[in-house]
Structures are given as structure tokens and as C-alpha cells.
Amino acid sequence: MLTNYIKIAWKVLLRHPFYTFITLFGITLTLTVLMVVTSFLDHLFGAHYPENKRSRSLYIASIIQTDSANTTMSSGPASFDFLTKYAKSLKSAERVAIMSNFSFSNAYVNGKRIKLNTKYTDVDFWSVTDFEFLEGKPYDETNVRNADHVAVITDALRDQYFGSDAATTVGRSIDIENIRYRVIGVVKGSPPTRIYTYSDVYFPYTSPKSNYENKGMRGRFAAIVLAEKASDREAVQAEFDQYVARIPKAEYSENNRFNVLVVKADTYFDHFLNMFVRSDKDRVMVYTIVGLVLLMIMGLPAVNLVNVNVSRILERASEIGVRKAFGAPSKALLWQFIIENVFITFIGGAFALLLTWVVIHFINSSGWIAYADLTINLPVFAISLLLCLVFGLLSGVLPAFRMSRLKIAEALKA
């Protein structure tokens, strides 16, 4: 039966090529937009280079001090001291990396200034992340302990500073803010959308100007906590919450201005969302807005397609009338038109997939996002299929239902 419905749908498509073109164009354009958006969201929140272990990672990046009525609030990144005390000591974590938020510096080559993003990290940073070393290796505990002036740079900075034809960069010197560093490694860079791993230069945290020795709760550092398995993250969160609950009030009250301390070890998505929302009510509001936007993106084209589908199906009113006269139930007609519409939507989805690949390739090679790695991987492909199905149902159910309810006489007259 399903094969027959698909054969009928194919014949209907061939009957009016221009009509078919308009229908497929609308479907393809809508699904292409949705697939590109899906790929970009996957780029932002998925596990990609060099944060391939996001599925078992937690992020500690901000400390909020407030009062019980939320009338006064102070927030910001944590200090190195705080993260060493309360994150590094987590027994349930496999490893904890501490890194500074990126800051800005300058380097000069042949009288030309190069603006740099710099980052200070501990040694575990290179184990928690999966940076690809093109040359050399990361710094180790000895470099950190000795406060060596060493640096790991990206391939982009290597090409800018030493030239792309340099035979080797490891062992050479680079001057940044009038301090000379020895390059010990070159890595493939991280996209700027991964703020905890993105930088042009990486220094040991004991290097000059890191300010890691500052005491107090707040500073300029964040931590990535790596659990052994994704399922262990809840246990790690619970242990961290216990640690935070035991922090004496005197450490965060600031002369009784604050009596509430909020520090979370969150998944990357929750951490990202918490940068914009402060309560469950705000979170519901964000979800509602996102849902409405998606509904508009899919709903408006779906409404247009409903009209097109009604016209397309109305042409077949006599066929519906004849089939009903011979006893075809409304339910069978309803399913036939729905399956036909889903089939047409999947054809449009195949074109959209091809067009999405072209758009993504263009974005990746355009340089708009450095080291961009938008892709159509398995999750993106699965969501794309789901979108095709939802869009096919959205635009097909109503006209199918309307046509299946036609009276025999009314259908035969049309």
C-alpha cells in the first residue's frame, strides 16, 4: 500500500512540472535554512575540536554573590585560588583543567603589529582538550614550576609571525608585550566560538601577567571538569555542590552585602544558557521565545504550502469522489495524502541537504569564523530528517483532512 501511495505521488509530481517546482522550491528553501541553523547550533554546543569530550565535561566559569532578594548582585569569573581549592580537589572527577579567559596582547614583526588573544593554562588543559600538535609538545609541570617563559602558538600565528615557509618553529623566540618566549609547540587553532579553548598563544599560568596568585573568590579563570563517563557528571556536580555549601559565609559576604553564593559546575549548554538567565522563570521564557521563533520559521512556509497542497489535491477531487463512491474510507484517503506530502517533503529535503552542504562549505572556507567546522554529521542529519517529517506533516495534514472529508457528490462536481 505504501509503495502504491508513493507511486501515485510520483505521477502527480510529473503531471505539473511548474507546480512541482514551486512546491519543491518552497520546501527546499525552508529546510535549507533550518539545516544550516541546526549545523551552526551543533557547531556551538556539540563536541568538536578541540573540545571533543564535552559529553563528559562540566564548566565552572562564574561566581555569583547576591542577597536572598536578588536586589544586589556581583558576578564574574573565578580566581585561580578558588578553582584550585574547590575544583581541583574533586575526588569524583577524572581531571580538572584551569584556564584564564582570553586577554589581549600585541606582538610586532617587521614593524607590523599583530593583535593577539592570549590564554594562561595549567598542564591538565592539554589533557582535557584534544589539541592537535603540528609541531613540538605542550609545556609540562617542570615548565610551570620553573615559571619558564615558554609558549604554545597556533598555526595561524606561526604563519603570521615566522612565515608559512618556515621549516620549523619550535625552539625559536617570539616577543609578546616586550617579553621573550620560547615556542615549544604549534597547534591547529580553535574556533573563537569555543571561548575556553580559543586563543592565539597559550602560556603556563606561572608566566608573567597571569595574576594567578591573586587571592579571593573572583578573578579571571575558568575550569573544565572531566568526568570518567558522561553518566558520572551528576556525581561530580553533587560533590562540587557539597564543597560550595561548606564555604564559610565570611569568604563571600563582603561585609554582609551578600548572603547567597551561586557557583555551578554545568554542562556546556546549561553554562551557556546561564550566562543569559538567572532563574527558572527566565529559562522558561528563553525556551518559549526560541520555540516561537522556530514555529514562525517553519509555520509561515507551512501555511503557504498548505494552500499549495489544497490546490494540488483539489485537482484530484473527482478521483476522491470516485474512490469514495467505491467505498474507500476517509481514513485511507487521509493517510494517502499525508504520505504523499511527506514523500514530496523528503524529496525537497534531499535537495535541501545538498544545498546545505554547499552553504556550509562556503561558510567554512569564507573565513567569517576562523577555524569554522560546520558539518552535516549524524546528529545534524538525524535532526534534518526529523525536520522533514515535521514539516511534511505540518503542511500536509490539514489539506489531507479537508479533502478526505469531501462528500461524494461535492467531490464529483469539482
Side-chain angles (χ1 to χ4, degrees):
M1 187 65 75
L2 181 64
T3 309
N4 287 335
Y5 288 164
I6 292 174
K7 283 180 180 176
I8 293 170
W10 182 249
K11 293 291 182 188
V12 171
L13 284 177
L14 296 179
R15 192 185 299 168
H16 297 293
F18 182 72
Y19 223 16
T20 302
F21 170 77
I22 295 294
T23 305
L24 288 179
F25 180 78
I27 293 171
T28 301
L29 199 61
T30 303
L31 291 179
T32 299
V33 172
L34 290 170
M35 287 180 187
V36 171
V37 170
T38 301
S39 179
F40 186 70
L41 291 176
D42 177 67
H43 166 84
L44 282 181
F45 301 115
H48 296 290
Y49 176 87
E51 297 178 46
N52 298 323
K53 299 167 188 162
R54 270 191 182 168
S55 62
R56 53 192 182 103
S57 297
L58 296 166
Y59 292 76
I60 305 171
S62 70
I63 291 177
I64 300 173
Q65 296 161 271
T66 183
D67 55 35
S68 49
N70 269 343
T71 53
T72 307
M73 182 180 291
S74 177
S75 64
S79 68
F80 189 90
D81 181 59
F82 176 87
L83 293 171
T84 303
K85 241 191 254 181
Y86 300 108
K88 279 283 186 183
S89 56
L90 287 168
K91 295 181 177 61
S92 54
E94 179 184 307
R95 203 173 286 267
V96 178
I98 298 179
M99 74 294 300
S100 67
N101 291 330
F102 63 78
S103 51
F104 303 100
S105 297
N106 295 307
Y108 292 87
V109 57
N110 299 325
K112 182 182 174 185
R113 187 176 71 163
I114 303 175
K115 294 180 181 177
L116 300 174
N117 294 295
T118 57
K119 192 177 282 292
Y120 299 88
T121 82
D122 63 1
V123 172
D124 286 326
F125 176 78
W126 302 108
S127 300
V128 169
T129 59
D130 289 322
F131 274 96
E132 178 187 352
F133 273 81
L134 306 175
E135 292 181 47
K137 60 181 183 179
Y139 34 80
D140 55 23
E141 291 291 357
T142 303
N143 297 127
V144 171
R145 193 167 47 251
N146 297 336
D148 291 338
H149 289 190
V150 294
V152 172
I153 65 174
T154 63
D155 52 342
L157 177 58
R158 176 194 60 187
D159 295 345
Q160 273 188 290
Y161 195 89
F162 297 105
S164 55
D165 55 347
T168 180
T169 307
V170 171
R172 300 176 72 175
S173 297
I174 182 169
D175 292 333
I176 299 172
E177 298 292 345
N178 298 319
I179 300 174
R180 176 155 295 186
Y181 296 90
R182 178 167 53 89
V183 177
I184 61 170
V186 179
V187 294
K188 177 187 168 187
S190 169
T193 45
R194 284 156 210 158
I195 57 176
Y196 297 111
T197 50
Y198 169 68
S199 186
D200 296 306
V201 191
Y202 303 86
F203 303 118
Y205 67 85
T206 48
S207 296
K209 301 182 181 179
S210 78
N211 299 321
Y212 81 97
E213 292 169 311
N214 290 353
K215 298 300 179 186
M217 304 189 71
R218 302 258 298 281
R220 53 184 298 204
F221 288 87
I224 301 178
V225 182
L226 190 66
E228 285 190 16
K229 303 187 294 288
S231 57
D232 290 344
R233 288 189 299 187
E234 285 188 15
V236 176
Q237 286 174 313
E239 186 185 0
F240 182 69
D241 289 344
Q242 287 175 7
Y243 282 14
V244 172
R246 288 201 291 265
I247 296 174
K249 187 179 174 183
E251 286 192 24
Y252 60 85
S253 67
E254 293 190 8
N255 298 323
N256 292 322
R257 281 178 67 207
F258 308 113
N259 56 9
V260 176
L261 175 68
V262 181
V263 193
K264 294 285 184 184
D266 283 324
T267 62
Y268 185 78
F269 179 78
D270 285 338
H271 160 68
F272 182 85
L273 196 58
N274 287 338
M275 287 195 285
F276 305 99
V277 302
R278 296 294 184 202
S279 65
D280 290 341
K281 185 180 174 184
D282 293 339
R283 185 179 287 255
V284 171
M285 180 68 75
V286 169
Y287 286 144
T288 304
I289 292 172
V290 171
L292 287 173
V293 170
L294 284 177
L295 192 61
M296 283 179 66
I297 292 175
M298 292 187 71
L300 291 177
V303 168
N304 287 330
L305 276 176
V306 165
N307 294 327
V308 174
N309 285 337
V310 168
S311 302
R312 181 167 57 84
I313 296 173
L314 198 57
E315 280 191 326
R316 300 163 64 189
S318 57
E319 172 197 331
I320 296 169
V322 171
R323 291 189 60 187
K324 281 200 162 189
F326 280 91
S330 297
K331 189 177 175 183
L333 292 170
L334 176 68
W335 276 112
Q336 176 186 337
F337 291 126
I338 289 176
I339 290 171
E340 284 183 18
N341 202 64
V342 170
F343 172 69
I344 294 168
T345 305
F346 271 96
I347 293 176
F351 286 120
L353 208 56
L354 186 63
L355 193 56
T356 301
W357 182 84
V358 173
V359 172
I360 284 176
H361 178 73
F362 176 73
I363 293 173
N364 286 342
S365 58
S366 66
W368 293 343
I369 305 172
Y371 299 103
D373 55 1
L374 274 72
T375 182
I376 303 175
N377 53 23
L378 187 59
V380 174
F381 183 70
I383 291 173
S384 301
L385 284 180
L386 182 64
L387 288 173
C388 288
L389 186 61
V390 171
F391 192 74
L393 291 173
L394 269 178
S395 60
V397 167
L398 185 60
F401 181 76
R402 181 177 164 185
M403 292 302 110
S404 67
R405 305 295 293 178
L406 277 177
K407 303 290 182 191
I408 296 175
E410 189 181 343
L412 289 174
K413 275 186 200 172

